[in-house]
Amino acid sequence: MGSIENGTKNGDSLNAHTSTYKYPQRCLGQGRPLRIVMVGAGVTGIAATKLYKDFFPDRDVEFVIYEKNHDITGTWLENRYPGCACDVPAHCYSYSWEGNPRWTRAYVSSTELFHYYKGRAAKYGVAEFVKLNHRVTSARWDDGKGKWIMEITNLTSGATITDEAEIFINAAGFLNNWKWPQIPGLHDFKGKLLHSARWDDSYDFKDKTVVVIGSGSSAIQIVPELQPLVKHMTSINRSKTWITPEFAAEFAPEGRTTFFSELQMDHWEQNKDDYLDYRKQVESSMSTFFSMQYKDSDQQKMAFESCTKTMRERLGNDEELIKKLVPEFEVGCRRITPGHGYLEALASHNVAVRTDPIEKVVPEGLRMVDGSVIAVDAIICATGFDTSYKPDFPVIGFEKDLRELWKNEPTSYLSVAAAGIPNYFIMSGPNFPLANGCLIPCLENNIKYAFRVAKKLRYDGIKCLAPKQAAVDDYQEYKDSLMADLVWTGSCASWYKNGDADGKVWGPWSGSSLHYLEVMNKPRWEDYEVTYLSRNRFDYLGNGRTILEIEGGDLAYYLSEPGARAVSA
């Protein structure tokens, strides 16, 4: 190594280059103005308002949420089909910082969830930050300004407005953009056409003939609700699904009909230690099943044998139905669903199960490939959502549209961001832990992640940051390697793989929910390309003084003394 002597290094003057840089007239810790725009006021958006107040108690960062619907809560506002309920126990479908001791039952309905989260929104003051009936239609990064420029349509007036923000958060959800099935002639049907995500409560199903297209979670909840009402039902089950026991069933001895008494709810409300202990037990139960997700594990083999036996029994050992409905692939390859009453409904006298292909929809019903026509009064499409993870509006960073970048495969950075797209964060993106254990805490963690980035931009002189392509590539390589041993790469066709039996998995996270929480606990800044506001990265150090010195406070905060009480200078 060269040595420094008399102001030189290796014989060259250290002052040979004269810099024109001039330090700024501000102190260290004096943050710059910042604005955050979020899309979506569902469970995540409601939580974000509370966390925003925690992270930025002085409101020195602006925050606004645009919500396309007329009201908040997202999923629980939009999904109101018969039987719609949360699959997981209600006591682990609450925010980590507070439970709800007054859940009325173990597995609550969409209506109860809607009213509960409306109450949380009122408590957290969401109304101050949300603009309802506002749909974001485009977002483009302006590098000159260092801001996202968003166009938003006011769905009430039809007017288009523009907003700007340094940080753009997409909290629209992973099952948000519902779609009609691609069946020729669908809208030629002359009867009642319904979709599970746009239900019509006014339609009377009593003594009607109906067909339900789909065998996913929505269909599994709809069928047992309508079967006792209708004259006849045909269920179109092109794919098999594992119908399993309830999640955390040990806490719900009567299954879906497990209600909590007023005495129990009062006890939990008045005895916080007991209630927290109960919440922890239920939550821990939800985090114990991940070992079943390994294809060759003993837990997977046991689950396969147990679920096969149970499904056969619930179908009345009807060999024709067993052949049509009981899967041969791994338990969990497709989304597992408890399905209270579903198999029993399919085995009922007024239900027929068809697994053959639909040719097209005709005015009177469905024409199947074999030429037969299923004439019905109503067609129910329980066919799900767009699971491509592409945003449903242009998201353009440095002239790259994320919809185009992800048209074949949504290659995210740890689920939360995209290579080359600056200051853009996705709350439940590709490979989010949607089937890996606890869910709500992972959403909370992603909000905190984005807010930690906001703080770094505010105080460290950073204009923008975006994941490096190499970091994304490395994560994708790791993810694909681990997924090869997990059930999600099994022999089924699943929306986890965008319907492709041999596709890559971009639904669940590559690990348990606890694994995700630890990974995302703090950002890995080394994985980001960072662009500074100044050409000198240390410009944020300011004029050599701290904001504490200017505003006043304990100037000896770093001192302590064993046995001394804390005092402020």
Side-chain angles (χ1 to χ4, degrees), residues 17 48 58 60 92 102 138 167 213 222 227 229 261 275 294 299 419 426 428 451 488 497 499 509 511 538 562:
H17 173 69
D58 296 329
D60 44 15
C92 62
R102 305 208 69 83
S138 71
I167 293 180
I213 303 174
I222 290 169
Q227 177 267 322
L229 299 176
S261 68
Y275 182 49
Y294 291 91
Q299 290 84 350
I426 315 161
S428 49
F451 287 169
W488 301 310
K497 299 178 279 190
W509 170 252
F538 292 112

Side-chain angles (χ1 to χ4, degrees), residues 15-24 534-536 539:
N15 298 317
H17 173 69
T18 301
S19 173
T20 58
Y21 170 76
K22 176 65 176 176
Y23 70 84
S534 167
R535 67 174 179 79
N536 188 313
D539 188 75

Side-chain angles (χ1 to χ4, degrees), residues 434-456:
L434 51 86
N436 309 62
C438 59
L439 182 138
I440 301 287
C442 296
L443 291 172
E444 296 169 5
N445 230 37
N446 283 359
I447 299 165
K448 293 174 185 177
Y449 186 101
F451 287 169
R452 288 186 182 105
V453 174
K455 282 198 166 189
K456 191 165 185 68

